[in-house]
Amino acid sequence: MRKVVVVTGANSGIGLALCERLLSKDDQIRLCLACRNLQRAENARMALASSHPSADISVVQIDVGSVKSVLQGAKELKERYKRIDHLYLNAGIMPNPRICFKAFITGLFSRNVISMFATGEGLLTQEDKIKEIEPLLCNVHNPSQVIWTSSSNARRSAFSLTDYQHSQGQESYSSSKYATDLLSVALNKHYNKQGMYSSVVCPGLVMTNLTYGILPPFFWMFIMPIMWLIRLFTNSFTISPYNGAEALLWLFSRKTESLDSRAKYHSCTSGLGNNYVQSYKMDVDEESSDVLYRKLLDLEKQIRKKITPENK
């Protein structure tokens, strides 16, 4: 039986690079591109199909920023597949990002310059859901894997359980990624016995459309030579989407039950361009992850009540 793999945000960047690498590794999988923009998704599907003509590649429209779209997309997935083996929650947005130039200049000439570029900590001021397709993921005889694209920028100090949607803060990216880490731990606690396992990945510093959109083009002309130089001294500068997908691809071929539920798997690239994976313990605790999990379940109930019966 062919493995079923669903990738959100698959029409560009890390998501598209992951799809290409998955098909190169195993073109017998049933691959579904879950994207917000159907036209871009179809263009990506045709590009992948041209290089992998025997592959089974389909598209489903899912805008993870819209509950109605997520529910409709989940309905289509349940109609299309009997199970999902690997669910890559990769889609993301970065609305109205701003750079703190004071922090950038200060960090540029400090001993923390590598860490600043690698994590983005202090620079940026200004996520996916599972339960609806739970029946496709939970099977004790055929374990499934949920893989979240997180970041090394996920920081406890940016997150608050009393403001988990970060409406009062200025570091929404760090907060949302830390929430992702917490939720992954909670899912493992509640679903491992049912055959679903959750893992978290950091793709490293990757240049995608989201990244380029943070700063004006002329600024990148100044920064990129510095970044290539720093890459000689740190393994977190993966730069290309292909390199950034390394840990995502690595998890595809791993036995889910053997993975560390509290580890974050990092895509790494050496100064010579060699790719590999390193795991690091996440700064999370089970109590906080459980509290967030319950809060999100309550939020889900509230949102569902607002959806009219016909939309359900």
Side-chain angles (χ1 to χ4, degrees), residues 11 33 37-48 59:
N11 61 277
L33 315 183
N37 187 306
L38 272 181
Q39 183 58 55
R40 293 179 181 176
E42 183 57 28
N43 291 340
R45 189 197 69 79
M46 290 190 295
L48 291 168
V59 169

Side-chain angles (χ1 to χ4, degrees), residues 142-156:
N142 186 24
S144 297
Q145 191 174 30
V146 176
I147 302 170
W148 306 77
T149 300
S150 182
S151 171
S152 57
N153 190 261
R155 291 183 293 110
R156 183 191 291 262

Side-chain angles (χ1 to χ4, degrees), residues 3 25 86 145 248-255:
K3 285 187 176 182
K25 187 178 185 67
H86 300 272
Q145 191 174 30
L248 295 159
L249 181 71
W250 182 84
L251 286 170
F252 174 75
S253 57
R254 290 299 177 276
K255 190 175 181 180

Side-chain angles (χ1 to χ4, degrees), residues 291-307:
V291 172
L292 176 62
Y293 178 71
R294 291 195 298 270
K295 284 179 176 287
L296 291 177
L297 290 180
D298 290 339
L299 177 63
E300 178 196 12
K301 293 177 183 178
Q302 295 173 30
I303 292 175
R304 284 181 179 274
K305 287 179 181 179
K306 294 179 181 180
I307 300 176

Side-chain angles (χ1 to χ4, degrees), residues 3-11 15-16 18-19 22-23 29-35 38 41 44-45 48 55-62 73-74 76-78 80-81 83-84 86-89 133 136:
K3 285 187 176 182
V4 176
V5 181
V6 178
V7 182
T8 67
N11 61 277
L16 181 57
L18 171 63
C19 291
L22 285 170
L23 291 171
I29 62 174
R30 299 180 67 189
L31 178 63
C32 180
L33 315 183
C35 305
L38 272 181
R45 189 197 69 79
L48 291 168
D56 180 346
I57 310 171
S58 62
V59 169
V60 64
Q61 185 173 29
I62 296 181
E76 290 185 32
L77 289 174
K78 285 188 284 188
R80 191 179 301 179
Y81 305 114
R83 72 177 195 284
I84 294 176
H86 300 272
L87 173 62
Y88 286 93
L89 298 176
I133 53 174
L136 303 184

